[in-house]
Amino acid sequence: MGMHEYSEATDELAQSVFEYALDRIRMEPPIDTPVAADRLGEAVGMTITEEGLGGAAALAIFADHLAPACLSVDHPRYFAWVPCAPTDAAVLFDLVVGASAMSATWWFDGAGAIYAENQALRWIADLAGMPETAGGCFVSGGTMGNLSALVAARDKAVRRRGGTHKRPGRWAVVASEDAHSSVSSAARVMDVDVLLAPTGPDRRLRGDAVAEAVATRPEGTEVFAVVATSGTTNLGVVDALDEVASVAAANSLWFHVDGAYGAAGLAAGSIRHLFNGIEHCDSLIVDPHKWLFAPYDCAALLYRDPDDARRAHTQEAGYLESINERGEWNPSDYAHHLSRRPRGLPFWFSLTVHGTRSYSEAVEQTLAVTRAGAALIEAAPHLDLIMEPTLSILAFRRTGWTLEQYASWSDSLLTEGSALVVPTSVDGAPALRFCMVNPRTTVEDLEVVLDTLA
Ligand SMILES: *Cc1c(COP(=O)(O)O)cnc(C)c1O
């Protein structure tokens, strides 16, 4: 009996797996708690054996011990970092993608999946006002998106200089001091420098700061790109994209917009104006696994001119020649990856099922709850709102509290299973931060948590 052979046991296992999945989709999930490795070791022991445990036992270990040791990021009071709140349609379709044995590496092997993924990418490109020729692919996350975009940007700068033998002393990218950590991580991988531009009193990166950073670059350093963030992960600040775009154009720099978290706000009419200037970007990332209701791992990466990316990323090898010669749209050409699952399909399916208006409404819903939360904080004498929220992040302080007090309050919420909020730091001082991407989060959810700070 080979394990690839379909049998009655497969049927039984399918029943249990589908039941488990349906239960999880139906229920209000507990937040659950992190568990130390030694405790998991005691409870579960070694799961991989020579003979195998069989489907029922393996699923039971997962359901009873492993899943409860993972936090439910879709819980309506999971406010830490950036949560994930996939639609039921998206989650269900992840099961279908898993069952379909599809590679969406090349058009040749994944035409149908890639066709659908490209329509989902097109929706985002249209929201951003990118040209008809824009395109890209879905990658694992914003980190991979930022790296892939900057690699394409540097490659273009190298070509413009006439090849690698004419490289400058150092390549550099300009980014705000509040840019995401993945930008400096990409720069380390690429062995390029990051010239940090300070943000203004409104916490946004402005054009003059970018121009100043370019003008004062160290001798022998050539700037090839500028990264603007829309919006920042800590506070949801959207940089002055129109200003940064003009400075980038004036200096012939690649203009990359990191909208991993916040560019979902493009779908919300009430804040669309904050993103003016995004249409000039050379590349853009948005993570549907953050505020566009797709399961992990799903980040959209778009280029104004996909040829720039293709020249930088296409892998050459004897066994790939027949694919590269076809001249078709191969997602493998647009990022630092090769084999890939069609990870954009759960997002595409949900968009197709519900329509784009539902997406706009769901983003607006989280914005409305955030604004109501800001009013609650402003009305509470013991709470200080750090800034009016522009996107769906509330940052505030409990008067007089130290980091230790924030931390123990945070621990007790998690122990009670009522919410997950972790302290952050703003302007060098501890603060609390609620990040909301879940349309099921209500103002009452916020009240319940804020009340415990009285
Ligand atoms: C989350 C985030 C990233 C990184 O995205 P991952 O999907 O976690 O790799 C990059 N930039 C910003 C602004 C983010 O909020």
Side-chain angles (χ1 to χ4, degrees), residues 363-392:
V363 175
E364 291 286 10
Q365 165 67 18
T366 52
L367 288 167
V369 170
T370 309
R371 289 173 196 135
L376 289 175
I377 292 168
E378 279 181 314
H382 55 288
L383 302 178
D384 290 318
L385 190 66
I386 292 172
M387 62 175 273
E388 277 301 323
T390 43
L391 301 181
S392 64

mmCIF file of all heavy atoms in Angstrom, residues 363-392:
data_model
loop_
_atom_site.group_PDB
_atom_site.id
_atom_site.type_symbol
_atom_site.label_atom_id
_atom_site.label_comp_id
_atom_site.label_asym_id
_atom_site.label_seq_id
_atom_site.Cartn_x
_atom_site.Cartn_y
_atom_site.Cartn_z
ATOM 1 N N VAL A 363 -12.647 47.651 4.292
ATOM 2 C CA VAL A 363 -11.552 48.532 4.720
ATOM 3 C C VAL A 363 -12.143 49.761 5.413
ATOM 4 O O VAL A 363 -11.669 50.185 6.477
ATOM 5 C CB VAL A 363 -10.652 48.923 3.523
ATOM 6 C CG1 VAL A 363 -9.597 49.944 3.946
ATOM 7 C CG2 VAL A 363 -9.959 47.689 2.943
ATOM 8 N N GLU A 364 -13.214 50.330 4.840
ATOM 9 C CA GLU A 364 -13.866 51.483 5.478
ATOM 10 C C GLU A 364 -14.362 51.126 6.888
ATOM 11 O O GLU A 364 -14.303 51.950 7.800
ATOM 12 C CB GLU A 364 -15.050 51.990 4.637
ATOM 13 C CG GLU A 364 -14.670 52.639 3.309
ATOM 14 C CD GLU A 364 -14.060 54.056 3.424
ATOM 15 O OE1 GLU A 364 -13.748 54.503 4.552
ATOM 16 O OE2 GLU A 364 -13.884 54.688 2.361
ATOM 17 N N GLN A 365 -14.855 49.910 7.022
ATOM 18 C CA GLN A 365 -15.367 49.474 8.331
ATOM 19 C C GLN A 365 -14.256 49.517 9.388
ATOM 20 O O GLN A 365 -14.448 50.033 10.491
ATOM 21 C CB GLN A 365 -15.948 48.055 8.187
ATOM 22 C CG GLN A 365 -16.211 47.303 9.478
ATOM 23 C CD GLN A 365 -17.335 47.926 10.297
ATOM 24 O OE1 GLN A 365 -18.135 48.701 9.763
ATOM 25 N NE2 GLN A 365 -17.385 47.604 11.587
ATOM 26 N N THR A 366 -13.074 49.018 9.042
ATOM 27 C CA THR A 366 -11.975 49.041 10.024
ATOM 28 C C THR A 366 -11.552 50.485 10.304
ATOM 29 O O THR A 366 -11.184 50.813 11.428
ATOM 30 C CB THR A 366 -10.765 48.224 9.529
ATOM 31 O OG1 THR A 366 -10.413 48.664 8.230
ATOM 32 C CG2 THR A 366 -11.058 46.754 9.483
ATOM 33 N N LEU A 367 -11.629 51.345 9.284
ATOM 34 C CA LEU A 367 -11.279 52.756 9.494
ATOM 35 C C LEU A 367 -12.278 53.419 10.440
ATOM 36 O O LEU A 367 -11.900 54.194 11.331
ATOM 37 C CB LEU A 367 -11.258 53.507 8.154
ATOM 38 C CG LEU A 367 -10.083 53.173 7.227
ATOM 39 C CD1 LEU A 367 -10.333 53.728 5.823
ATOM 40 C CD2 LEU A 367 -8.776 53.712 7.789
ATOM 41 N N ALA A 368 -13.569 53.100 10.265
ATOM 42 C CA ALA A 368 -14.599 53.707 11.119
ATOM 43 C C ALA A 368 -14.403 53.272 12.568
ATOM 44 O O ALA A 368 -14.507 54.085 13.496
ATOM 45 C CB ALA A 368 -15.994 53.318 10.612
ATOM 46 N N VAL A 369 -14.094 51.999 12.770
ATOM 47 C CA VAL A 369 -13.873 51.505 14.137
ATOM 48 C C VAL A 369 -12.621 52.171 14.733
ATOM 49 O O VAL A 369 -12.602 52.545 15.912
ATOM 50 C CB VAL A 369 -13.769 49.964 14.145
ATOM 51 C CG1 VAL A 369 -13.297 49.446 15.489
ATOM 52 C CG2 VAL A 369 -15.120 49.352 13.781
ATOM 53 N N THR A 370 -11.595 52.351 13.903
ATOM 54 C CA THR A 370 -10.384 53.015 14.402
ATOM 55 C C THR A 370 -10.705 54.444 14.845
ATOM 56 O O THR A 370 -10.258 54.892 15.907
ATOM 57 C CB THR A 370 -9.306 53.057 13.293
ATOM 58 O OG1 THR A 370 -9.146 51.744 12.764
ATOM 59 C CG2 THR A 370 -7.972 53.531 13.849
ATOM 60 N N ARG A 371 -11.480 55.157 14.032
ATOM 61 C CA ARG A 371 -11.810 56.555 14.385
ATOM 62 C C ARG A 371 -12.635 56.603 15.669
ATOM 63 O O ARG A 371 -12.402 57.452 16.539
ATOM 64 C CB ARG A 371 -12.578 57.218 13.233
ATOM 65 C CG ARG A 371 -11.673 57.470 12.028
ATOM 66 C CD ARG A 371 -12.478 57.976 10.816
ATOM 67 N NE ARG A 371 -11.690 57.857 9.600
ATOM 68 C CZ ARG A 371 -12.155 57.373 8.436
ATOM 69 N NH1 ARG A 371 -13.418 56.982 8.338
ATOM 70 N NH2 ARG A 371 -11.357 57.285 7.391
ATOM 71 N N ALA A 372 -13.562 55.674 15.818
ATOM 72 C CA ALA A 372 -14.361 55.632 17.054
ATOM 73 C C ALA A 372 -13.446 55.323 18.242
ATOM 74 O O ALA A 372 -13.607 55.877 19.332
ATOM 75 C CB ALA A 372 -15.465 54.592 16.921
ATOM 76 N N GLY A 373 -12.468 54.448 18.024
ATOM 77 C CA GLY A 373 -11.511 54.113 19.090
ATOM 78 C C GLY A 373 -10.693 55.330 19.483
ATOM 79 O O GLY A 373 -10.424 55.561 20.671
ATOM 80 N N ALA A 374 -10.306 56.132 18.483
ATOM 81 C CA ALA A 374 -9.530 57.341 18.775
ATOM 82 C C ALA A 374 -10.342 58.284 19.648
ATOM 83 O O ALA A 374 -9.827 58.880 20.607
ATOM 84 C CB ALA A 374 -9.119 58.028 17.479
ATOM 85 N N ALA A 375 -11.645 58.382 19.357
ATOM 86 C CA ALA A 375 -12.507 59.253 20.164
ATOM 87 C C ALA A 375 -12.599 58.743 21.603
ATOM 88 O O ALA A 375 -12.579 59.523 22.556
ATOM 89 C CB ALA A 375 -13.888 59.345 19.526
ATOM 90 N N LEU A 376 -12.685 57.426 21.759
ATOM 91 C CA LEU A 376 -12.740 56.848 23.112
ATOM 92 C C LEU A 376 -11.471 57.191 23.895
ATOM 93 O O LEU A 376 -11.519 57.530 25.083
ATOM 94 C CB LEU A 376 -12.859 55.318 23.035
ATOM 95 C CG LEU A 376 -14.169 54.718 22.549
ATOM 96 C CD1 LEU A 376 -14.031 53.200 22.437
ATOM 97 C CD2 LEU A 376 -15.298 55.084 23.510
ATOM 98 N N ILE A 377 -10.335 57.082 23.214
ATOM 99 C CA ILE A 377 -9.056 57.347 23.886
ATOM 100 C C ILE A 377 -8.958 58.820 24.263
ATOM 101 O O ILE A 377 -8.550 59.173 25.367
ATOM 102 C CB ILE A 377 -7.879 56.914 22.978
ATOM 103 C CG1 ILE A 377 -7.881 55.389 22.838
ATOM 104 C CG2 ILE A 377 -6.543 57.410 23.532
ATOM 105 C CD1 ILE A 377 -6.969 54.862 21.747
ATOM 106 N N GLU A 378 -9.402 59.673 23.335
ATOM 107 C CA GLU A 378 -9.325 61.107 23.619
ATOM 108 C C GLU A 378 -10.242 61.494 24.780
ATOM 109 O O GLU A 378 -9.939 62.413 25.533
ATOM 110 C CB GLU A 378 -9.668 61.911 22.358
ATOM 111 C CG GLU A 378 -8.461 62.000 21.443
ATOM 112 C CD GLU A 378 -8.709 62.807 20.182
ATOM 113 O OE1 GLU A 378 -9.754 62.595 19.544
ATOM 114 O OE2 GLU A 378 -7.840 63.627 19.841
ATOM 115 N N ALA A 379 -11.333 60.764 24.919
ATOM 116 C CA ALA A 379 -12.284 61.092 25.990
ATOM 117 C C ALA A 379 -11.832 60.541 27.340
ATOM 118 O O ALA A 379 -12.355 60.935 28.378
ATOM 119 C CB ALA A 379 -13.665 60.545 25.630
ATOM 120 N N ALA A 380 -10.867 59.635 27.345
ATOM 121 C CA ALA A 380 -10.440 59.023 28.614
ATOM 122 C C ALA A 380 -9.317 59.849 29.237
ATOM 123 O O ALA A 380 -8.275 60.024 28.615
ATOM 124 C CB ALA A 380 -9.973 57.586 28.366
ATOM 125 N N PRO A 381 -9.529 60.357 30.456
ATOM 126 C CA PRO A 381 -8.541 61.254 31.062
ATOM 127 C C PRO A 381 -7.183 60.591 31.288
ATOM 128 O O PRO A 381 -6.156 61.269 31.293
ATOM 129 C CB PRO A 381 -9.181 61.651 32.399
ATOM 130 C CG PRO A 381 -10.377 60.792 32.593
ATOM 131 C CD PRO A 381 -10.732 60.176 31.287
ATOM 132 N N HIS A 382 -7.163 59.273 31.453
ATOM 133 C CA HIS A 382 -5.910 58.587 31.762
ATOM 134 C C HIS A 382 -5.189 58.103 30.501
ATOM 135 O O HIS A 382 -4.183 57.426 30.596
ATOM 136 C CB HIS A 382 -6.177 57.415 32.702
ATOM 137 C CG HIS A 382 -7.206 56.469 32.159
ATOM 138 N ND1 HIS A 382 -8.554 56.787 32.099
ATOM 139 C CD2 HIS A 382 -7.094 55.227 31.641
ATOM 140 C CE1 HIS A 382 -9.221 55.783 31.577
ATOM 141 N NE2 HIS A 382 -8.346 54.822 31.277
ATOM 142 N N LEU A 383 -5.734 58.411 29.316
ATOM 143 C CA LEU A 383 -5.108 57.942 28.074
ATOM 144 C C LEU A 383 -4.720 59.130 27.196
ATOM 145 O O LEU A 383 -5.458 60.117 27.127
ATOM 146 C CB LEU A 383 -6.059 57.017 27.302
ATOM 147 C CG LEU A 383 -6.544 55.763 28.031
ATOM 148 C CD1 LEU A 383 -7.507 54.981 27.149
ATOM 149 C CD2 LEU A 383 -5.372 54.872 28.451
ATOM 150 N N ASP A 384 -3.558 59.027 26.534
ATOM 151 C CA ASP A 384 -3.101 60.081 25.612
ATOM 152 C C ASP A 384 -2.927 59.497 24.228
ATOM 153 O O ASP A 384 -2.067 58.629 24.027
ATOM 154 C CB ASP A 384 -1.722 60.618 26.038
ATOM 155 C CG ASP A 384 -1.821 61.417 27.310
ATOM 156 O OD1 ASP A 384 -2.785 62.195 27.430
ATOM 157 O OD2 ASP A 384 -0.942 61.229 28.189
ATOM 158 N N LEU A 385 -3.700 60.007 23.293
ATOM 159 C CA LEU A 385 -3.564 59.568 21.905
ATOM 160 C C LEU A 385 -2.292 60.202 21.330
ATOM 161 O O LEU A 385 -2.094 61.406 21.463
ATOM 162 C CB LEU A 385 -4.793 60.023 21.120
ATOM 163 C CG LEU A 385 -4.965 59.468 19.714
ATOM 164 C CD1 LEU A 385 -5.204 57.961 19.744
ATOM 165 C CD2 LEU A 385 -6.132 60.168 19.019
ATOM 166 N N ILE A 386 -1.428 59.405 20.726
ATOM 167 C CA ILE A 386 -0.163 59.956 20.219
ATOM 168 C C ILE A 386 -0.382 60.743 18.937
ATOM 169 O O ILE A 386 0.209 61.787 18.737
ATOM 170 C CB ILE A 386 0.874 58.832 20.048
ATOM 171 C CG1 ILE A 386 1.262 58.316 21.437
ATOM 172 C CG2 ILE A 386 2.104 59.320 19.279
ATOM 173 C CD1 ILE A 386 2.127 57.094 21.454
ATOM 174 N N MET A 387 -1.216 60.239 18.066
ATOM 175 C CA MET A 387 -1.595 61.020 16.876
ATOM 176 C C MET A 387 -2.954 60.544 16.369
ATOM 177 O O MET A 387 -3.322 59.384 16.566
ATOM 178 C CB MET A 387 -0.541 60.933 15.766
ATOM 179 C CG MET A 387 -0.295 59.542 15.214
ATOM 180 S SD MET A 387 0.849 59.534 13.808
ATOM 181 C CE MET A 387 -0.275 59.836 12.439
ATOM 182 N N GLU A 388 -3.677 61.455 15.723
ATOM 183 C CA GLU A 388 -4.927 61.060 15.094
ATOM 184 C C GLU A 388 -4.606 59.962 14.098
ATOM 185 O O GLU A 388 -3.679 60.099 13.298
ATOM 186 C CB GLU A 388 -5.531 62.242 14.323
ATOM 187 C CG GLU A 388 -6.338 63.211 15.147
ATOM 188 C CD GLU A 388 -7.517 62.564 15.861
ATOM 189 O OE1 GLU A 388 -8.156 61.659 15.285
ATOM 190 O OE2 GLU A 388 -7.785 62.965 17.004
ATOM 191 N N PRO A 389 -5.339 58.849 14.120
ATOM 192 C CA PRO A 389 -5.010 57.788 13.172
ATOM 193 C C PRO A 389 -5.286 58.229 11.732
ATOM 194 O O PRO A 389 -6.304 58.882 11.474
ATOM 195 C CB PRO A 389 -5.945 56.651 13.574
ATOM 196 C CG PRO A 389 -7.072 57.308 14.305
ATOM 197 C CD PRO A 389 -6.491 58.524 14.974
ATOM 198 N N THR A 390 -4.352 57.910 10.825
ATOM 199 C CA THR A 390 -4.632 58.159 9.414
ATOM 200 C C THR A 390 -5.129 56.865 8.772
ATOM 201 O O THR A 390 -6.006 56.885 7.924
ATOM 202 C CB THR A 390 -3.386 58.658 8.658
ATOM 203 O OG1 THR A 390 -2.272 57.878 9.064
ATOM 204 C CG2 THR A 390 -3.114 60.108 8.955
ATOM 205 N N LEU A 391 -4.564 55.731 9.200
ATOM 206 C CA LEU A 391 -5.042 54.442 8.695
ATOM 207 C C LEU A 391 -5.742 53.726 9.855
ATOM 208 O O LEU A 391 -6.575 54.335 10.506
ATOM 209 C CB LEU A 391 -3.867 53.640 8.098
ATOM 210 C CG LEU A 391 -3.142 54.339 6.934
ATOM 211 C CD1 LEU A 391 -2.014 53.472 6.404
ATOM 212 C CD2 LEU A 391 -4.112 54.680 5.820
ATOM 213 N N SER A 392 -5.386 52.467 10.104
ATOM 214 C CA SER A 392 -6.155 51.713 11.103
ATOM 215 C C SER A 392 -5.304 51.360 12.324
ATOM 216 O O SER A 392 -5.451 50.275 12.878
ATOM 217 C CB SER A 392 -6.732 50.461 10.448
ATOM 218 O OG SER A 392 -5.691 49.604 10.026
#
